[in-house]
Amino acid sequence: MPDGGALILVPTPAKSLGDYAAIVGTEIVDNLRARAERFRGARVLHVNSTSFGGGVAELLYTLVPLWRDLGVDTEWRVIHGTEPFFHATKALHNGLQGAPVPWTVEMRSHYLTVNEDNAEAFEGDYDFVVVHDPQPAGILTELIEDRGRPKGKWIWRCHIDLTSPHRPVWEFLEPFVRPYDAAIFTLGDYVPDGFSGPEIAVSCPTIDPLSLKNIPLDRAIVRQVLRRYGIDPGRPLAVQVSRYDPWKDPLGVIDAYRIVKREVPELQLALIASMASDDPEGWEYYRMTEEHRAGDPDVFLLSNLQDVGSLNVNAFQRAADVVIQKSVREGFGLVVAEALWKGKAVVGGDVGGIHLQIEDGRSGFLVDSVEACAARLLELLRNPSRAAAMGRAGRRRVRQRFLSTAQLSDELALLERLSG
Amino acid sequence: MPDGGALILVPTPAKSLGDYAAIVGTEIVDNLRARAERFRGARVLHVNSTSFGGGVAELLYTLVPLWRDLGVDTEWRVIHGTEPFFHATKALHNGLQGAPVPWTVEMRSHYLTVNEDNAEAFEGDYDFVVVHDPQPAGILTELIEDRGRPKGKWIWRCHIDLTSPHRPVWEFLEPFVRPYDAAIFTLGDYVPDGFSGPEIAVSCPTIDPLSLKNIPLDRAIVRQVLRRYGIDPGRPLAVQVSRYDPWKDPLGVIDAYRIVKREVPELQLALIASMASDDPEGWEYYRMTEEHRAGDPDVFLLSNLQDVGSLNVNAFQRAADVVIQKSVREGFGLVVAEALWKGKAVVGGDVGGIHLQIEDGRSGFLVDSVEACAARLLELLRNPSRAAAMGRAGRRRVRQRFLSTAQLSDELALLERLSG
């Protein structure tokens, strides 16, 4: 415990739900306010493992202040961890997604020690505690053992695809999450077979239309961002925003681009990723992707190393003639919602949360091979008005189901259930 | 030598000088084109140590494509280096700026080995070779020893303040830079006493008005960026954009803010930095600054870790009521030009390149203490129309002297001198 104290509070700037009324309509906002009335003054704590980087931090950055605006006394805290602990929980994460990772006695011991220490540092009484992902999941068990069951309802929010976990890893984790009052999964399919104990809820992640990734940008800036990276705004552009890893299939995206390029020689492709300096696998896969690019000057591999932040990603998505998300495995794939929200037709892998977002043939296309991906890309590039119509359909769908307000509604529904 | 080959070529997107005519006037652009005519087809190589991060890479990113647009066949290559080499050259850099660093036999040996290896990998004939900063400076000597003096004119471009270097370090470097045909320094003051051999030129760095850091942004985005970080766009804001290190005096900036805050209780302060993950000193100083902030919710310490890229820095500078650059030592301080270009009055430390940029009392104020800094900040916050007038004067000065086109002109002048 670096400073021997409580879990670290993450400050979040205030947000007003009223600002979202212009986007989703006042009726939805009024409804949220009315339903939240019974929880006014309730104390809610969110616990996760990091205050920046990654989708969970991004979600909490929006949702925590919106809950506060609803009158609920909401806090966000991150656990204290050690380097070997985070090394172990990275393996745990990959194992839960199905990778046959080693799960050694040392790793278990780091997991237990850090969860024990954080349970010991845990302070305060809450009406609801939402614990995100496996890293801090053990705190509840440690608390129960030390001090008896804490007050309030405890909710485990799992952001991971648990369809086919590596058994030893899930068998280790399962006893720690069983005592929760409720567990939230991203998709019904992700609830592990035979998992019982908590109330099960399903709620998908959402995007914040007022975040820097999604706010409107004017054309001049969009064009200037392209030029900064050497992309010609006057020529067609396909964009995929994803980490460099095999599940996102950047090599397959380049292959599909090459097929289309025979018909559309002017086509450019931008692959955009956030690279963590402590992620050697990501670097290795970046190197492979760079090799696969084979010096093609119309393929752009970009990352935060070239100063590609949220506003730039926003600009790239807006500049795209077509957006690709050719994942072969995907927790949810919020970049699809981000692109649809910008009125772009998306060609996406037929997996995970992507089919919830793309209605095949309506707001884009689902594909399961390089050839199918190429064929659909070509179809959209040749029919810009069809692509635009699909983009409009996608934007409507995102407005209904994948904006922050939809997630507030899901979370309210769970609090209502838990409060009888 | 990781791949045994030549120095690594850095690709840069094309730029057109014509786009700058709208900003600096067609006359200046036409003049550059006419003067460059005699160098059409000449081969020019720039060599430095990194293709991203840092001011030199940023300059080359603009200037290399503009030289190409002038018809000069310009390349940019980075040297191969090892970790101990970069560790040694960091000490070399600090030593040249006056820090009493250790400069051990091992460090000298890493410097020599990497420069030897890069000289061995050096290929091609150039009419002009521009070598930036101390890291690759030894290549020329190694080439001369191995193969005899290479063709073409060799120019050492020093971006460092050499006013009072740590003697052992400068005595080590000086023999390597003496054989150059020319040496360019940022300010006349920075030419070391008694340095002779190369032709001496003075040319300050400049900003690119069309880069993402400087392009116009509309108010809606500026406000949204502030909100993202919890800053109230309706309240006054002072901004300093700098690394967290003692030379930039972030602690003094906070002290000055506190004095002003007694009179302007609504004042907010944002300190914005780019943090390198491999810079333990930067982290340590960040921690000290955070401690000095003492939890003040109106002081914002931001960095690239919170997704603050160039566009965001641009937005912060535009949002500021007043910009601070309270350096106690400064190579040049291009952030001053960036702020002046955005029409902001700047309160800057009375050091280095800052007095070249701020005309005291005309485009901002030069200060040499916390109290003076506070007094000038208060003066500007209380006289917004005076601040705006100073900002306009600053913008005019930047247009005349500190835009990329001025640097092209300086560099052309040196090529003209060297070509007799």
Side-chain angles (χ1 to χ4, degrees):
Chain A
M1 201 71 7
D3 40 37
L7 281 64
I8 306 151
L9 190 68
V10 181
T12 50
K15 286 187 191 289
S16 161
L17 203 51
D19 294 338
Y20 294 74
I23 298 165
V24 297
T26 48
E27 205 178 322
I28 284 180
V29 169
D30 290 346
N31 177 268
L32 290 171
R33 289 207 186 282
R35 287 166 65 199
E37 203 43 55
R38 66 182 281 203
F39 300 106
R40 177 166 287 275
R43 293 197 66 200
V44 175
L45 172 67
H46 286 266
V47 178
N48 82 324
S49 63
T50 176
S51 60
F52 55 78
V56 176
E58 211 169 307
L59 286 174
L60 291 175
Y61 219 78
T62 291
L63 291 171
V64 166
L66 288 179
W67 273 108
R68 278 206 207 107
D69 189 54
L70 283 171
V72 178
D73 182 5
T74 309
E75 274 178 14
W76 170 15
R77 291 180 181 271
V78 298
I79 55 169
H80 297 271
T82 59
E83 220 175 289
F85 167 78
F86 287 115
H87 184 75
T89 56
K90 191 165 182 184
L92 183 56
H93 181 107
N94 289 336
L96 291 171
Q97 288 202 320
V101 293
W103 186 236
T104 64
V105 174
E106 288 74 25
M107 287 167 150
R108 291 160 200 251
S109 150
H110 290 302
Y111 182 85
L112 291 172
T113 308
V114 166
N115 271 278
E116 268 166 37
D117 288 349
N118 280 283
E120 204 176 305
F122 192 90
E123 285 173 1
D125 285 327
Y126 296 92
D127 298 295
F128 300 94
V129 178
V130 186
V131 177
H132 293 263
D133 278 341
Q135 297 93 337
I139 290 178
L140 177 58
T141 299
E142 303 294 345
L143 280 176
I144 292 172
E145 285 175 5
D146 281 11
R147 322 182 191 165
R149 188 157 188 109
K151 266 188 58 178
K153 302 288 186 183
W154 282 62
I155 300 164
W156 185 51
R157 176 61 170 111
C158 178
H159 298 272
I160 298 175
D161 174 351
L162 289 184
T163 317
S164 51
H166 185 48
R167 298 305 309 177
V169 165
W170 173 240
E171 279 159 18
F172 172 83
L173 185 67
E174 201 266 342
F176 291 109
V177 296
R178 209 185 303 126
Y180 280 77
D181 297 286
I184 313 179
F185 294 89
T186 294
L187 296 178
D189 288 352
Y190 291 177
V191 184
D193 288 339
F195 179 58
S196 72
E199 296 233 20
I200 302 295
V202 171
S203 171
C204 65
T206 54
I207 64 169
D208 181 350
L210 296 178
S211 71
L212 299 185
K213 249 196 204 157
N214 296 311
I215 49 165
L217 293 179
D218 66 40
R219 264 175 70 87
I221 289 171
V222 169
R223 293 171 68 92
Q224 202 61 32
V225 169
L226 291 193
R227 287 219 187 85
R228 155 71 177 82
Y229 297 99
I231 299 171
D232 183 345
R235 287 165 50 196
L237 174 66
V239 167
Q240 173 162 310
V241 178
S242 292
R243 292 193 312 279
Y244 292 106
D245 84 25
W247 307 120
K248 311 298 185 188
D249 199 18
L251 307 186
V253 173
I254 291 177
D255 292 337
Y257 150 87
R258 285 196 179 125
I259 295 173
V260 180
K261 182 114 175 151
R262 285 183 222 138
E263 311 287 323
V264 186
E266 292 287 278
L267 184 60
Q268 304 167 101
L269 172 67
L271 297 176
I272 298 155
S274 179
M275 305 281 286
S277 58
D278 61 348
D279 177 12
E281 287 165 44
W283 282 102
E284 177 56 20
Y285 212 76
Y286 173 82
R287 204 195 50 71
M288 284 174 61
T289 310
E290 174 61 27
E291 206 170 292
H292 200 66
R293 184 176 79 93
D296 184 337
D298 289 338
V299 176
F300 300 84
L301 303 192
L302 303 173
S303 76
N304 48 323
L305 293 182
Q306 289 109 12
D307 186 27
V308 180
S310 295
L311 281 167
N312 308 52
V313 169
N314 185 339
F316 279 113
Q317 289 170 328
R318 289 183 191 280
D321 295 279
V322 54
V323 168
I324 309 172
Q325 188 58 38
K326 207 202 150 305
S327 308
V328 294
R329 182 93 188 246
E330 188 62 78
F332 188 74
L334 272 184
V335 278
V336 171
E338 288 170 14
L340 294 173
W341 180 244
K342 293 169 184 102
K344 303 297 169 176
V346 180
V347 178
D350 190 8
V351 293
I354 296 182
H355 29 231
L356 214 63
Q357 298 173 76
I358 299 176
E359 293 174 287
D360 193 29
R362 210 178 130 70
S363 48
F365 292 109
L366 295 170
V367 296
D368 51 16
S369 71
V370 165
E371 293 69 27
C373 181
R376 294 309 198 177
L377 285 175
L378 188 58
E379 195 174 334
L380 289 169
L381 288 168
R382 283 193 169 151
N383 297 281
S385 65
R386 179 143 192 238
M390 285 184 150
R392 284 193 298 275
R395 183 169 162 99
R396 278 194 299 273
R397 189 170 172 80
V398 171
R399 192 193 307 270
Q400 282 158 16
R401 302 186 51 171
F402 303 117
L403 297 185
S404 314
T405 40
Q407 197 166 351
L408 287 174
S409 177
D410 285 352
E411 294 181 357
L412 262 170
L414 180 61
L415 299 201
E416 286 160 356
R417 263 167 75 190
L418 290 174
S419 308
Chain B
M1 202 69 11
D3 41 35
L7 280 65
I8 305 151
L9 189 69
V10 182
T12 50
K15 286 187 191 290
S16 162
L17 203 51
D19 294 338
Y20 294 75
I23 298 164
V24 297
T26 48
E27 205 179 322
I28 283 180
V29 169
D30 290 346
N31 177 268
L32 290 171
R33 290 207 187 282
R35 287 167 64 198
E37 202 45 54
R38 66 183 280 204
F39 300 105
R40 178 165 287 275
R43 292 197 68 200
V44 175
L45 172 66
H46 287 265
V47 178
N48 82 325
S49 64
T50 176
S51 60
F52 55 77
V56 177
E58 211 169 308
L59 285 175
L60 291 175
Y61 218 79
T62 291
L63 291 172
V64 167
L66 287 180
W67 272 108
R68 279 206 207 106
D69 189 54
L70 283 171
V72 178
D73 183 5
T74 309
E75 274 176 17
W76 170 15
R77 291 180 182 272
V78 296
I79 54 169
H80 297 270
T82 58
E83 223 175 287
F85 168 78
F86 286 114
H87 184 76
T89 56
K90 192 164 181 184
L92 184 56
H93 181 107
N94 290 337
L96 291 171
Q97 288 202 321
V101 293
W103 186 237
T104 65
V105 174
E106 288 73 26
M107 286 167 151
R108 290 160 199 252
S109 151
H110 290 303
Y111 182 85
L112 291 172
T113 309
V114 166
N115 271 278
E116 267 166 36
D117 289 349
N118 281 282
E120 205 176 302
F122 192 90
E123 286 173 1
D125 285 328
Y126 297 91
D127 299 296
F128 299 95
V129 178
V130 187
V131 176
H132 294 261
D133 279 340
Q135 297 93 337
I139 290 179
L140 177 57
T141 299
E142 302 295 343
L143 279 177
I144 293 171
E145 285 175 6
D146 281 11
R147 324 180 189 167
R149 188 157 186 106
K151 267 187 56 178
K153 302 288 185 183
W154 282 61
I155 300 164
W156 184 51
R157 175 60 170 113
C158 178
H159 298 271
I160 298 176
D161 173 351
L162 289 183
T163 317
S164 52
H166 185 49
R167 299 306 308 178
V169 165
W170 172 240
E171 279 161 17
F172 172 83
L173 185 68
E174 201 265 342
F176 291 110
V177 295
R178 209 185 303 126
Y180 280 76
D181 297 287
I184 311 178
F185 294 89
T186 294
L187 297 178
D189 289 350
Y190 292 178
V191 184
D193 288 341
F195 179 57
S196 71
E199 296 233 19
I200 301 296
V202 171
S203 170
C204 66
T206 54
I207 64 168
D208 181 349
L210 296 177
S211 71
L212 298 185
K213 248 193 204 157
N214 297 312
I215 49 165
L217 293 179
D218 64 41
R219 264 176 70 88
I221 289 172
V222 169
R223 294 171 68 92
Q224 201 60 31
V225 169
L226 292 193
R227 287 219 186 84
R228 155 70 177 82
Y229 297 98
I231 299 170
D232 184 345
R235 286 166 49 196
L237 175 67
V239 167
Q240 172 161 309
V241 178
S242 292
R243 293 193 311 279
Y244 292 106
D245 84 26
W247 307 121
K248 312 297 183 187
D249 198 17
L251 308 186
V253 174
I254 292 176
D255 292 339
Y257 149 87
R258 284 199 178 122
I259 296 172
V260 180
K261 181 113 175 151
R262 286 183 222 138
E263 310 288 321
V264 186
E266 292 288 278
L267 184 61
Q268 305 168 99
L269 171 67
L271 297 176
I272 298 156
S274 179
M275 305 281 287
S277 58
D278 61 348
D279 177 12
E281 287 164 44
W283 283 102
E284 177 55 20
Y285 213 75
Y286 173 82
R287 202 193 52 69
M288 284 174 60
T289 311
E290 173 60 30
E291 206 169 292
H292 200 66
R293 183 176 79 94
D296 184 337
D298 289 338
V299 176
F300 300 85
L301 303 190
L302 302 173
S303 76
N304 48 324
L305 294 182
Q306 290 109 11
D307 187 28
V308 180
S310 296
L311 282 167
N312 307 51
V313 170
N314 186 338
F316 279 113
Q317 289 169 329
R318 289 182 192 281
D321 295 279
V322 54
V323 168
I324 310 171
Q325 188 59 38
K326 206 200 152 305
S327 307
V328 293
R329 182 92 188 247
E330 188 64 75
F332 188 74
L334 272 185
V335 278
V336 171
E338 288 170 13
L340 294 173
W341 180 242
K342 293 171 184 99
K344 304 296 168 177
V346 180
V347 178
D350 190 9
V351 292
I354 295 180
H355 32 228
L356 215 61
Q357 298 172 78
I358 299 175
E359 293 174 288
D360 193 29
R362 209 177 133 69
S363 48
F365 293 109
L366 295 170
V367 296
D368 51 16
S369 71
V370 165
E371 293 68 28
C373 181
R376 294 310 197 177
L377 285 175
L378 188 58
E379 194 174 336
L380 290 169
L381 288 169
R382 283 194 169 152
N383 297 281
S385 65
R386 177 141 193 240
M390 286 185 149
R392 284 192 298 275
R395 183 170 163 99
R396 277 194 300 274
R397 188 169 173 82
V398 172
R399 192 194 307 272
Q400 282 159 14
R401 302 185 52 169
F402 303 116
L403 297 186
S404 314
T405 40
Q407 196 166 353
L408 286 174
S409 177
D410 285 350
E411 293 181 358
L412 262 168
L414 180 61
L415 298 201
E416 286 160 357
R417 262 168 75 191
L418 290 175
S419 307

